[in-house]
Amino acid sequence: MTAPEQQIFETLIYPYLNHAVRMCEAGYATAVDIDNGMRFGCGYPKGPLTVLDEIGPAVVRDALAARFADTGDHLHRPADLLVKVADEGGRFTAGTDDAVAEPRLRHDIARVGVVGTGTMASGIAQVFAQGGYDVVFVGRSEDKLACVTGYVAKNLDRAVERGKTTPEEKEAVLGRLTGATSREALADVDLVVEAIAEDLDVKLELFADLDRIVKPGAILATTTSSLPITRLAAATQRPGDVVGLHFFNPAPVMKLVEVISTEQTSPEVAETAIALSRKVGKVPVSAGDRAGFIVNALLFPYLNDAVKLAENGEELAVIDTAVKDTAGFPMGPFELLDVVGNDVSLAIQEELHREFDEPGLAPAKTLVAKVEAGELGRKTKKGFHDYSA
Ligand code: 3HC
């Protein structure tokens, strides 16, 4: 690692490690789930607590303490638990592989409904169809429904080309997908996964309607990344059956599903969501209904910090390359921001800033400016990088 690379690594990665410790310290999620979250949600080779153990808690504590003395930013102050573990010469990931009871499907799930026709909805429909479930997906027009089938067919064509699946299996998966332009088609499904616009009013209307349409006992799941699931549950007469199933982009590839329980989610529903996620080949982690859940709460402050680093004069490509080379992340921060979309990233960062009330979480000015300029990332052909060619 060259000295400038080391500098970028410490600037961006150490606060992220500190943040992971705080999450553990608060009892929000287990060390295993935090590590699995970043490995399977973002494709990182190792989770933050494992990385921290490898670097040495005392090394990270000392570097953060020096930085905190410089910046006064509370996010740079070594977490109490980090100080304690470093002082004791301990580790974060020791003894975390204790056997836990295998979660079971407490509800019969045969048919799955998906609401939405965007990238996430299409990917989620593909995941369940590949997992052997009949999937009904609901969109607003025949054209939008065709987008879902087109997305799945394209992914499966690529898989056939690469020898990962057969043409017969491709046809079988597509055969399990049925589109509908009316929500009434969801009356009989055992689970609905909502993946529509990230707008509270739009989702509240949908949940009230799902409550009316979908048979009693079905699970109502949302893949929201930034809205309070508790509010969505309150729009129904069955808050115990409402759960978060947060998939990652691209859903067919990223193995993580965050299973989010509100105070009212019934334990059977959460357990079923975990068992079902495993059944379709995903790695579920559990957490409560709090802004950012595990992964976004750790990921987006790091992405935001990268934007701030660029504002201080560091080149985008240099940061992207340094992070990939030093941390082994599959994408640099600006490459990932352009995939996720700067509008989505800004909305998540604003939500984190609001909930945790940390000045250091304020969205970077350039991120705000990019959104104002309509430079949202790959989807608009220009974000931090240019994709017009
Ligand atoms: N849809 C479906 N499949 C895709 C795909 C897509 N958009 N992009 C790639 N794939 C598949 C490929 O077919 C390939 O499959 P195979 O191994 O079975 O042949 C596999 O993914 C790997 O693809 P490539 O070799 O072409 O490309 P890479 O090695 O560069 O991997 C990547 C692509 C898996 C997307 C990798 O870059 C990665 O892990 N990136 C990190 C993405 C990330 O961090 N996502 C989280 C964003 S935050 C979020 O989603 C939360 C939300 O709330 C905002």
Side-chain angles (χ1 to χ4, degrees):
M1 211 184 284
T2 64
E5 278 179 344
Q6 175 79 26
Q7 177 84 32
I8 292 172
F9 180 81
E10 290 190 16
T11 304
L12 296 181
I13 305 301
Y14 281 12
Y16 148 69
L17 303 181
N18 199 34
H19 198 166
V21 175
R22 289 222 169 107
M23 197 174 261
C24 206
E25 186 175 48
Y28 177 66
T30 65
V32 170
D33 279 357
I34 292 171
D35 271 3
N36 279 344
M38 300 315 286
R39 282 177 61 203
F40 298 107
C42 303
Y44 293 178
K46 289 167 187 169
L49 298 165
T50 300
V51 171
L52 186 43
D53 280 343
E54 286 181 3
I55 298 172
V59 173
V60 178
R61 173 201 59 196
D62 294 347
L64 281 165
R67 182 117 178 256
F68 177 55
D70 204 30
T71 64
D73 182 344
H74 175 244
L75 298 176
H76 300 150
R77 188 177 64 75
D80 292 343
L81 184 62
L82 174 57
V83 174
K84 180 169 177 285
V85 171
D87 287 351
E88 290 170 355
R91 294 165 56 82
F92 288 94
T93 51
T96 46
D97 53 359
D98 296 348
V100 277
E102 185 68 26
R104 297 194 1 230
L105 285 165
R106 304 271 176 189
H107 288 227
D108 289 333
I109 309 283
R111 300 184 74 221
V112 174
V114 174
V115 189
T117 49
T119 311
M120 290 310 291
S122 306
I124 293 166
Q126 180 181 336
V127 167
F128 284 106
Q130 275 181 317
Y133 290 94
D134 285 326
V135 177
V136 183
F137 59 98
V138 174
R140 281 174 293 179
S141 67
E142 291 294 340
D143 283 356
K144 289 191 189 279
L145 297 181
C147 290
V148 176
T149 330
Y151 173 95
V152 178
K154 194 168 146 216
N155 282 339
L156 293 172
D157 281 339
R158 197 166 43 189
V160 171
E161 269 165 37
R162 295 187 189 196
K164 305 260 175 185
T165 192
T166 61
E168 293 75 27
E169 176 58 14
K170 175 193 153 189
E171 290 311 320
V173 171
L174 289 174
R176 287 196 278 273
L177 287 170
T178 310
T181 49
S182 163
R183 289 177 186 167
E184 309 297 324
L186 298 169
D188 200 28
V189 301
D190 305 296
L191 161 76
V192 181
V193 184
E194 166 279 310
I196 59 169
E198 200 68 347
D199 178 310
L200 185 60
D201 290 336
V202 173
K203 286 198 202 278
L204 286 173
E205 185 275 328
L206 174 65
F207 270 80
D209 211 25
L210 290 177
D211 193 29
R212 175 185 66 79
I213 294 167
V214 184
K215 69 182 181 192
I219 297 176
L220 305 183
T222 170
T223 194
T224 183
S225 57
S226 59
L227 300 171
I229 298 167
T230 308
R231 292 279 304 274
L232 303 179
T236 73
Q237 303 298 314
R238 40 174 134 178
D241 294 335
V242 177
V243 69
L245 275 186
H246 185 216
F247 286 80
F248 288 73
N249 189 1
V253 186
M254 307 315 290
K255 285 204 163 291
L256 187 71
V257 178
E258 288 179 312
V259 175
I260 307 301
S261 293
T262 71
E263 301 267 311
Q264 287 174 297
T265 304
S266 93
E268 289 77 21
V269 166
E271 186 177 346
T272 301
I274 290 171
L276 182 67
S277 303
R278 288 201 185 160
K279 207 164 164 229
V280 295
K282 298 294 179 190
V283 176
V285 295
S286 302
D289 189 19
R290 189 176 95 168
F293 311 138
I294 299 175
V295 173
N296 285 354
L298 295 176
L299 175 66
F300 285 88
Y302 138 74
L303 296 174
N304 197 48
D305 279 355
V307 180
K308 290 180 183 170
L309 189 60
E311 286 168 355
N312 288 335
E314 198 65 74
E315 277 182 43
L316 304 185
V318 170
I319 300 175
D320 274 344
T321 305
V323 169
K324 286 189 283 189
D325 289 353
T326 58
F329 292 0
M331 292 178 173
F334 300 103
E335 293 166 334
L336 185 58
L337 280 162
D338 284 348
V339 165
V340 171
N342 289 325
D343 50 344
V344 174
S345 301
L346 178 61
I348 293 173
Q349 192 61 31
E350 281 171 340
E351 197 55 42
L352 293 172
H353 186 212
R354 229 184 333 265
E355 172 137 352
F356 297 106
D357 199 22
E358 287 281 357
L361 293 178
K365 287 190 192 71
T366 312
L367 183 61
V368 177
K370 289 274 171 201
V371 175
E372 282 170 1
E375 295 177 7
L376 304 183
R378 284 182 177 267
K379 60 188 170 187
T380 59
K381 303 262 187 277
K382 190 164 167 43
F384 282 95
H385 296 294
D386 194 306
Y387 304 91
S388 54

